[in-house]
Amino acid sequence: MLRVVLAQPRGFCAGVERAIEIVERALKKYGPPIYVRHEIVHNRHVVEDLRTRGAVFVDELDEIPPGAITVFSAHGVAKRVEEAAAERGLPVIDATCPLVAKVHNEGRRYAGQEREIVLVGHAGHAEVEGTIGQVPAKVHLVQTVEDVARLQVTDPEKLAYITQTTLSVDDTKGIIAALTQRFPSIVGPNVRDICYATQNRQQAVRDLAGQVDVILVVGSRNSSNSNRLREIGQELGRPSYLIDDADALQPEWFDGARTVGLTAGASAPETLVQGVLNGLRRFGEIEITTQDGVAEDVRFRFPAQLTDA
């Protein structure tokens, strides 16, 4: 019998739940089609489900017809995107995660102090591009400690850092330590401002690694936080696999394994986790337990346009 330990917490965070429900409420209130700039969250199954219900996902605003209801994704957008939508008169509903919006506000506050900004994050990620485009200052992107050593700044005394929300305290502490060592005057947000969901899910995987033989992470390839969960399991010496759904399961992964840890990235729905449990039953009998972990009760307000939907 294979013992399966479910991570706690796992799956949807409050920002993702809110973003998905924003699209659902908009479809209910205004009717399809609703246009969404970029994937609302980084999960193929979620995007496809909303697409079948009338959401249209576009890369750029010029793909949206005049006057059509427009939703900005949970990752946030650059100021130029907001301005372009306003110029075209598009009615916008902003699904930016409030924790991402908080990072934008911090960046603007530091810019108001005439500081250059160091952004700790992944190049090309939608959230990073949105944050850079929200801060009216020079922004230096760093991804590694080595990037810190190569930084060229105008005034080391006028420097601040902010971080991508899908990085945890553990992900950023080495880079922040390197920044502080090289630029002792640098300022930054309190570690409490790190996304609670990222930190909790990563800690759950660290706890899982001590009690299982194999770790499965349900999430999409383009999901930053899901990839990081798999990496953590691997770093802790456990074979770890990132899977879209049950179809990706390979029986040889479980040869000689007695316990499997199962978690999901912050943009992966619980239905996919349950599907993976059913998929594991194809290989034999399973026993399911749930890890002790943090119970999350965070909820975010909806945009004013949708409070009645």
Side-chain angles (χ1 to χ4, degrees), residues 124-145:
H125 191 278
E127 181 189 331
V128 165
E129 292 180 349
T131 299
I132 291 172
Q134 281 286 343
V135 178
K138 173 70 176 173
V139 179
H140 306 269
L141 180 64
V142 297
Q143 303 184 80
T144 64
V145 169

Side-chain angles (χ1 to χ4, degrees):
M1 181 185 293
L2 193 63
R3 183 165 155 265
V4 181
V5 184
L6 294 173
Q8 173 64 30
R10 64 183 179 276
F12 280 173
C13 62
V16 164
E17 284 185 344
R18 173 181 178 270
I20 294 167
E21 191 169 339
I22 281 172
V23 178
E24 292 173 339
R25 288 186 182 203
L27 285 165
K28 182 178 177 183
K29 180 171 181 177
Y30 303 107
I34 297 294
Y35 289 81
V36 184
R37 185 183 180 274
H38 290 171
E39 293 185 345
I40 186 70
V41 296
H42 283 158
N43 186 273
R44 179 172 60 85
H45 288 274
V46 169
V47 169
E48 288 302 323
D49 176 57
L50 291 172
R51 188 175 274 134
T52 62
R53 291 149 74 177
V56 179
F57 295 89
V58 300
D59 289 326
E60 298 302 337
L61 293 183
D62 57 16
E63 300 172 59
I64 301 174
I69 301 291
T70 302
V71 177
F72 291 156
S73 80
H75 311 100
V77 300
K79 185 64 74 175
R80 63 173 175 77
V81 177
E82 294 176 344
E83 291 167 351
E87 283 170 15
R88 293 197 53 209
L90 294 174
V92 168
I93 303 168
D94 191 355
T96 300
C97 173
L99 296 180
V100 174
K102 187 175 184 181
V103 173
H104 294 173
N105 290 334
E106 286 166 346
R108 286 192 287 265
R109 179 167 60 85
Y110 293 136
Q113 299 167 359
E114 299 185 342
R115 298 178 186 272
E116 287 182 23
I117 313 294
V118 179
L119 171 57
V120 183
H122 295 146
H125 191 278
E127 181 189 331
V128 165
E129 292 180 349
T131 299
I132 291 172
Q134 281 286 343
V135 178
K138 173 70 176 173
V139 179
H140 306 269
L141 180 64
V142 297
Q143 303 184 80
T144 64
V145 169
E146 290 73 27
D147 289 344
V148 174
R150 291 190 288 266
L151 265 182
Q152 299 292 321
V153 302
T154 307
D155 183 355
E157 300 298 312
K158 300 286 283 183
L159 209 54
Y161 70 83
I162 53 178
T163 68
Q164 182 179 330
T165 62
T166 48
L167 302 177
S168 70
V169 175
D170 297 320
D171 292 332
T172 58
K173 66 182 178 185
I175 296 173
I176 291 170
L179 284 168
T180 305
Q181 184 174 8
R182 186 166 174 214
F183 307 107
S185 299
I186 196 168
V187 298
N190 191 294
V191 293
R192 289 196 302 267
D193 289 346
I194 291 280
C195 172
Y196 75 93
T198 299
Q199 189 67 28
N200 290 347
R201 279 152 190 71
Q202 290 191 10
Q203 187 56 51
V205 168
R206 292 180 196 283
D207 295 341
L208 267 186
Q211 49 183 311
V212 302
D213 302 313
V214 178
I215 292 175
L216 301 176
V217 180
V218 181
S220 291
R221 297 273 162 205
N222 62 339
S223 165
S224 175
N225 74 86
S226 299
N227 276 286
R228 185 67 188 118
L229 295 177
R230 186 203 64 77
E231 288 170 4
I232 289 169
Q234 205 72 39
E235 288 165 6
L236 293 171
R238 296 291 176 266
S240 301
Y241 304 96
L242 177 61
I243 57 174
D244 260 327
D245 51 35
D247 292 342
L249 291 171
Q250 304 292 325
E252 60 268 22
W253 292 349
F254 312 107
D255 288 345
R258 298 172 62 186
T259 55
V260 174
L262 179 56
T263 190
S267 48
E270 180 64 16
T271 52
L272 295 181
V273 173
Q274 297 304 316
V276 169
L277 290 173
N278 288 332
L280 288 170
R281 290 187 176 98
R282 296 199 304 262
F283 309 136
E285 199 175 342
I286 65 172
E287 175 195 1
I288 303 168
T289 60
T290 301
Q291 173 190 44
D292 290 333
V294 176
E296 294 175 346
D297 57 1
V298 177
R299 294 288 178 272
F300 294 130
R301 286 184 191 160
F302 286 90
Q305 309 102 299
L306 297 177
T307 51
D308 60 342

